[in-house]
Amino acid sequence: MDNRDDTDDRDDDEVNFDEEPKDAQEGAMDNSDDTDNTDDEVVGDDNETEGAEEEFMDDEEATEYEQQIPSMEFQTLEDAEKFYDSYAKAKGFSVRRRDLRRNRRGVAIGRTMVCSREGTRDKMHIDKEGRTRQHRKMTRHYCKASYTVRFDRNKKMWVVSKFERKHSHRCCNEEESQFLRSHRNVSEGDKALAIGMRQSGIKQRNIVQFMKNKVGGYENPGYTPKDLDNAVQQSRTVDDDLIGDVNRTLGYLQSKHTSDAGSFFKYTTNVEGELGNLFWSDSTSRADYHFFGDVLAFDACYKRNRYNRPFVMMVGVNHHHRNIIYGFAQLDNETIPNYVWLLNTFLECMNSKMPTSVITDGDKSMRGAIATVLVGVPHRLCIWHIETNATTAVHNKEFVSAFTYLVKARISIEEFERRWEHLISQHGLSANKWLQDLYADKLLWAEAYLKDMYFGGLQSTSRCESCNHWINGYVGTQYSLQRFVQGIDEALEGMRFTEVQDDYTSRHTRLVCKHALRTWEMQAESIYTHHTFAIFKSELENEASYVLAERRTESDGTETFILKNYMNPDRIRRLTFTTSNQDLKCECALFESKGFPCRHMLTVIKNMGYTALPSSWFKLRWTQNAKTLNRHPGVGGDVGEKVGRLIRHGGLALKCKRLCDIACGSESAFNHVSKTLDDLTQWAIEFARERTDNTTPANPPTPLRSVKDPKIGKTKGTFKSA
């Protein structure tokens, strides 16, 4: 089978001669009728080519410029080649460097360049029996157009010894010339720009659009969109062969310890010495977990790099209600033992701090691992997956609509059971096996059973999907593991920049407060982040929709408040107030499940004459000071110096990164900052020596052993059972 691309217009191999030519004519290589000494391919058979030649005859007279070409002389071979390239581009054909002649000392003395459509395709490739692949499009056309130069020792110049200008085919017009292969080339500048844009997360189609707009059209860059894509792809894979990919990845993760002593990674190998599971995190992610690691969501996805193994992100939500990622893992496969290993490694990385609650998509292996490792931690199944599977399992839109409402309804358990029984009976689905199995797991998905548990407002693994979408812009399915890990680091920088920007906005700008309860509104605005305040404001604005219907004191001293909706009196909410500890609880349990007060609580304290919101209602994790070390419970003395050191390291790392970004802008700034850092480092060493602080890093690097690259995994099905 002919494996060469006959549309590629590649140069042929050099031809070496042992002796110099006897004269100039003999030295010039007239190979117009001899193609046997080259690797040229052949297009078509004789009958086909002859017909084509009869169809087109180049009888155009030579221009005055073309008449001068046979007598031209050049200082260098490069000049001679560039001239013919320019002539060919203007004329409308692509060229191929066919023969390079050298003397016995290896010095070039002659060069022949031909039209890219010179030659024919060998019949053995056309007539080959048992061929399964379609033939490539034929491009060679027995064209005789050629150009030969030789070195004249007397003149010490390169002279044209043969020039054939006539073609056996039509040349391209100006619009078509952009596709001529020998004239397409991605410049180093454009390649570097495209690679930089791709590494910044810009999609390839947007890069092509940018390049096109820069020069005013697709025809002007000097290359096609595919050429640019190939150039970028080549840069990705030039150092990314699969040999030693895992070892390079582990080396990269270990080298991060130099600049990030709080980074952490751990891996396993299988019996064949190949990489099994891999988990990694950095100091900032670990610090974030200690600030916001109450609710944890994780999900597995595939096709994130070459190996197609399950990729898992441990995801949470920060004080701005944005995604944060605590750690990453690539697993050998989705089994209970592998997920048990992942959760145990995650807890080891996070100094044994357990999450308050967990959300997954319902994968049975995940559920088994959670029950084994995260004992007693509330586990919730993703509502989105349940609703999607309901549509598949029950082909009834009316039922699915009512079912979706019931899943999310913040009602009492008794009310849920009553409505569930009615819904199943109404649609005659008592024998539906999927619904039977789902009902058995109601403690994992029904809001009526989960509303008293804290999940930070999360009801699905959509934040995992969102993080996957974000990281998608920085990694590719053909990335090596090392490039994949580096791409994730780049994606994390973007997410963390957004958090810093949100911090700045919340602390240094104010929102307009015009509500009737303006004192409460201004108090909340000064404490909450802007995103959390927006949620609170929605509750505040709906506070007036409820009125106090009854207030009574119970025998145990607690007070009961009965509220009715102003427009819908049948909608009732009950709240209890304990005088001893000033604790107010609403049956909707919004405060317990999300961490900020509901509209019903606001109505009650208004009727009780409160002029300010109780300070206990402001959960620190939703405030502007959520990441202030000395105010955060569980950080510092409570969990030991190890966690405090980790968090301080993450804070300094962020500050140093910004310093580096600014200081590298000029030589003088770099020298000044470099010297200052040397002085600070020396001071820190002496300070540590004085305090005899010999604390080891949070995750000291361990010697690496050689690990083989894993095999390509198989993609798991998309259907998720609840």
Side-chain angles (χ1 to χ4, degrees):
M1 183 179 293
D2 183 4
N3 291 320
R4 291 182 297 166
D5 186 353
D6 56 49
T7 65
D8 195 21
D9 300 338
R10 293 175 296 182
D11 298 342
D12 295 326
D13 295 338
E14 295 180 359
V15 179
N16 296 293
F17 293 78
D18 292 332
E19 297 183 0
E20 295 185 33
K22 296 182 179 179
D23 52 43
Q25 183 63 35
E26 192 176 1
M29 297 189 310
D30 183 1
N31 291 321
S32 58
D33 294 322
D34 181 14
T35 60
D36 292 338
N37 65 334
T38 70
D39 292 336
D40 290 343
E41 296 181 17
V42 182
V43 171
D45 55 27
D46 295 340
N47 294 333
E48 175 192 28
T49 307
E50 288 176 5
E53 288 181 343
E54 291 175 359
E55 189 176 306
F56 176 80
M57 296 296 294
D58 188 354
D59 55 2
E60 182 182 347
E61 294 293 331
T63 64
E64 183 178 350
Y65 181 73
E66 289 174 327
Q67 292 174 2
Q68 298 174 3
I69 292 178
S71 60
M72 286 186 173
E73 299 176 352
F74 305 93
Q75 291 283 346
T76 65
L77 176 58
E78 183 181 4
D79 291 341
E81 291 176 340
K82 284 183 177 180
F83 163 76
Y84 195 62
D85 281 332
S86 300
Y87 166 76
K89 185 175 182 180
K91 189 76 173 177
F93 67 95
S94 185
V95 301
R96 187 173 72 254
R97 288 160 174 76
R98 195 183 64 182
D99 295 329
L100 177 64
R101 184 175 182 180
R102 301 178 184 273
N103 61 19
R104 54 188 145 187
R105 295 187 299 274
V107 178
I109 58 174
R111 161 67 87 187
T112 296
M113 300 172 71
V114 297
C115 173
S116 64
R117 303 190 69 177
E118 180 263 358
T120 58
R121 180 179 293 175
D122 198 321
K123 286 186 177 181
M124 63 175 287
H125 302 304
I126 298 176
D127 300 336
K128 184 176 181 178
E129 296 182 1
R131 185 184 182 101
T132 57
R133 297 175 61 184
Q134 291 290 329
H135 290 281
R136 298 186 184 91
K137 296 180 177 67
M138 297 184 294
T139 59
R140 303 199 180 182
H141 205 276
Y142 274 125
C143 185
K144 304 299 183 183
S146 64
Y147 166 83
T148 302
V149 293
R150 67 176 181 83
F151 182 70
D152 190 313
R153 288 181 295 178
N154 296 325
K155 295 182 179 180
K156 299 193 181 303
M157 299 283 286
W158 287 85
V159 299
V160 178
S161 60
K162 175 177 172 53
F163 172 63
E164 175 57 57
R165 68 170 189 81
K166 290 189 176 183
H167 296 264
S168 65
H169 56 88
R170 292 183 176 85
C171 291
C172 297
N173 57 36
E174 184 177 357
E175 188 177 36
E176 298 168 336
S177 294
Q178 60 181 302
F179 302 109
L180 294 171
R181 182 66 188 88
S182 67
H183 309 306
R184 292 175 4 225
N185 178 55
V186 182
S187 68
E188 290 300 320
D190 282 358
K191 185 188 298 185
L193 178 60
I195 292 171
M197 295 173 71
R198 189 69 186 88
Q199 291 176 345
S200 298
I202 301 175
K203 294 291 186 181
Q204 188 66 21
R205 62 179 179 271
N206 296 331
I207 297 175
V208 171
Q209 189 72 16
F210 171 81
M211 295 296 189
K212 181 207 73 169
N213 294 336
K214 186 177 71 167
V215 294
Y218 282 114
E219 68 278 7
N220 295 326
Y223 49 82
T224 65
K226 184 62 177 176
D227 295 332
L228 184 64
D229 184 54
N230 289 340
V232 174
Q233 185 65 30
Q234 185 180 20
S235 74
R236 296 180 193 167
T237 57
V238 66
D239 296 323
D240 285 350
D241 53 26
L242 289 177
I243 301 175
D245 179 26
V246 169
N247 289 325
R248 289 197 302 271
T249 304
L250 298 178
Y252 170 75
L253 290 172
Q254 190 172 54
S255 69
K256 289 180 65 176
H257 235 287
T258 304
S259 58
D260 184 4
S263 63
F264 178 100
F265 74 95
K266 191 172 183 178
Y267 63 94
T268 65
T269 56
N270 59 24
V271 293
E272 298 176 354
E274 299 172 344
L275 178 69
N277 302 324
L278 172 65
F279 173 87
W280 71 97
S281 181
D282 63 13
S283 60
T284 303
S285 291
R286 298 175 75 188
D288 282 341
Y289 181 77
H290 285 282
F291 287 125
F292 307 115
D294 38 30
V295 58
L296 175 67
F298 62 95
D299 190 13
C301 60
Y302 287 75
K303 294 185 178 180
R304 284 296 175 266
N305 58 44
R306 288 177 178 171
Y307 302 106
N308 200 25
R309 296 301 177 95
F311 173 62
V312 182
M313 284 186 290
M314 317 300 278
V315 177
V317 56
N318 69 7
H319 51 321
H320 300 289
H321 292 267
R322 293 193 189 272
N323 300 330
I324 48 175
I325 305 178
Y326 304 131
F328 305 87
Q330 177 173 291
L331 301 181
D332 190 36
N333 50 52
E334 289 193 84
T335 61
I336 292 179
N338 283 337
Y339 276 118
V340 167
W341 177 89
L342 171 59
L343 292 177
N344 281 325
T345 303
F346 178 76
L347 292 178
E348 177 186 349
C349 174
M350 302 305 173
N351 299 295
S352 301
K353 178 186 175 181
M354 298 278 278
T356 304
S357 54
V358 180
I359 301 178
T360 70
D361 64 0
D363 181 271
K364 293 182 179 179
S365 297
M366 290 183 184
R367 292 173 62 177
I370 290 171
T372 302
V373 180
L374 304 181
V375 180
V377 175
H379 177 202
R380 179 175 204 150
L381 302 183
C382 172
I383 286 182
W384 182 85
H385 282 97
I386 292 175
E387 293 174 357
T388 302
N389 292 345
T391 303
T392 305
V394 184
H395 302 282
N396 185 322
K397 291 184 178 180
E398 184 180 349
F399 167 82
V400 172
S401 177
F403 169 80
T404 301
Y405 173 81
L406 186 57
V407 168
K408 300 177 180 179
R410 303 180 70 85
I411 55 180
S412 66
I413 294 176
E414 295 75 13
E415 181 68 11
F416 170 83
E417 294 293 346
R418 186 186 65 80
R419 292 190 184 186
W420 176 267
E421 184 178 352
H422 174 73
L423 182 63
I424 298 299
S425 174
Q426 179 184 4
H427 294 278
L429 296 170
S430 57
N432 187 288
K433 182 66 167 59
W434 183 83
L435 288 173
Q436 292 174 359
D437 294 340
L438 182 68
Y439 181 74
D441 287 332
K442 61 186 176 181
L443 299 181
L444 299 178
W445 54 264
E447 187 69 22
Y449 286 92
L450 297 169
K451 65 179 182 178
D452 294 323
M453 303 175 187
Y454 179 80
F455 283 94
L458 274 64
Q459 294 182 316
S460 71
T461 57
S462 60
R463 288 189 177 271
C464 297
E465 301 293 336
S466 176
C467 288
N468 271 314
H469 180 73
W470 173 268
I471 287 177
N472 237 7
Y474 295 85
V475 300
T477 56
Q478 296 304 312
Y479 272 27
S480 66
L481 185 58
Q482 181 189 14
R483 277 301 311 274
F484 178 72
V485 172
Q486 291 172 335
I488 285 177
D489 285 348
E490 294 167 4
L492 280 178
E493 288 184 11
M495 295 180 71
R496 289 165 182 171
F497 173 80
T498 301
E499 180 179 321
V500 173
Q501 193 173 38
D502 288 339
D503 283 339
Y504 167 80
T505 303
S506 292
R507 291 172 182 169
H508 301 287
T509 62
R510 301 300 300 270
L511 299 174
V512 177
C513 297
K514 300 181 66 176
H515 193 271
L517 298 171
R518 191 166 181 268
T519 303
W520 291 359
E521 186 180 22
M522 292 179 64
Q523 180 187 4
E525 192 275 338
S526 66
I527 296 176
Y528 283 136
T529 63
H530 285 181
H531 293 81
T532 304
F533 175 73
I535 299 173
F536 167 81
K537 189 174 181 178
S538 174
E539 295 298 317
L540 183 64
E541 290 174 345
N542 285 281
E543 172 273 332
S545 62
Y546 280 85
V547 295
L548 181 62
E550 182 182 352
R551 177 179 180 178
R552 64 175 181 264
T553 302
E554 307 296 344
S555 58
D556 58 359
T558 61
E559 289 190 80
T560 300
F561 295 84
I562 308 297
L563 304 184
K564 291 187 177 181
N565 187 279
Y566 184 78
M567 299 298 295
N568 187 0
D570 293 333
R571 188 178 297 172
I572 298 173
R573 289 297 183 186
R574 292 176 174 83
L575 297 90
T576 58
F577 179 74
T578 305
T579 307
S580 59
N581 58 6
Q582 301 290 297
D583 184 34
L584 179 64
K585 287 187 177 295
C586 178
E587 65 178 355
C588 79
L590 183 73
F591 184 75
E592 288 75 16
S593 63
K594 295 187 177 181
F596 35 83
C598 63
R599 61 195 66 178
H600 319 114
M601 296 170 69
L602 296 173
T603 300
V604 168
I605 65 168
K606 182 179 70 173
N607 282 275
M608 294 176 70
Y610 276 61
T611 58
L613 298 172
S615 59
S616 60
W617 286 9
F618 295 98
K619 297 295 184 182
L620 184 58
R621 65 108 59 235
W622 297 121
T623 68
Q624 299 172 21
N625 296 319
K627 298 184 76 170
T628 303
L629 180 62
N630 59 6
R631 290 189 56 191
H632 201 286
V635 175
D638 292 342
V639 295
E641 178 59 22
K642 191 174 185 180
V643 175
R645 178 183 182 133
L646 173 68
I647 296 172
R648 291 193 295 271
H649 184 280
L652 288 175
L654 287 175
K655 291 178 181 291
C656 287
K657 185 182 184 308
R658 175 163 173 75
L659 175 65
C660 293
D661 291 341
I662 297 173
C664 68
S666 68
E667 188 72 23
S668 59
F670 169 79
N671 292 332
H672 177 72
V673 170
S674 181
K675 183 179 183 307
T676 303
L677 287 176
D678 289 339
D679 295 340
L680 283 173
T681 302
Q682 186 59 39
W683 174 87
I685 292 173
E686 294 174 359
F687 179 80
R689 187 180 296 117
E690 292 174 1
R691 293 173 55 90
T692 63
D693 183 6
N694 296 318
T695 305
T696 57
N699 177 37
T702 56
L704 295 176
R705 63 182 186 273
S706 180
V707 180
K708 297 178 182 179
D709 300 337
K711 298 181 178 66
I712 306 299
K714 295 181 179 180
T715 303
K716 181 183 175 184
T718 57
F719 186 88
K720 302 282 187 180
S721 63

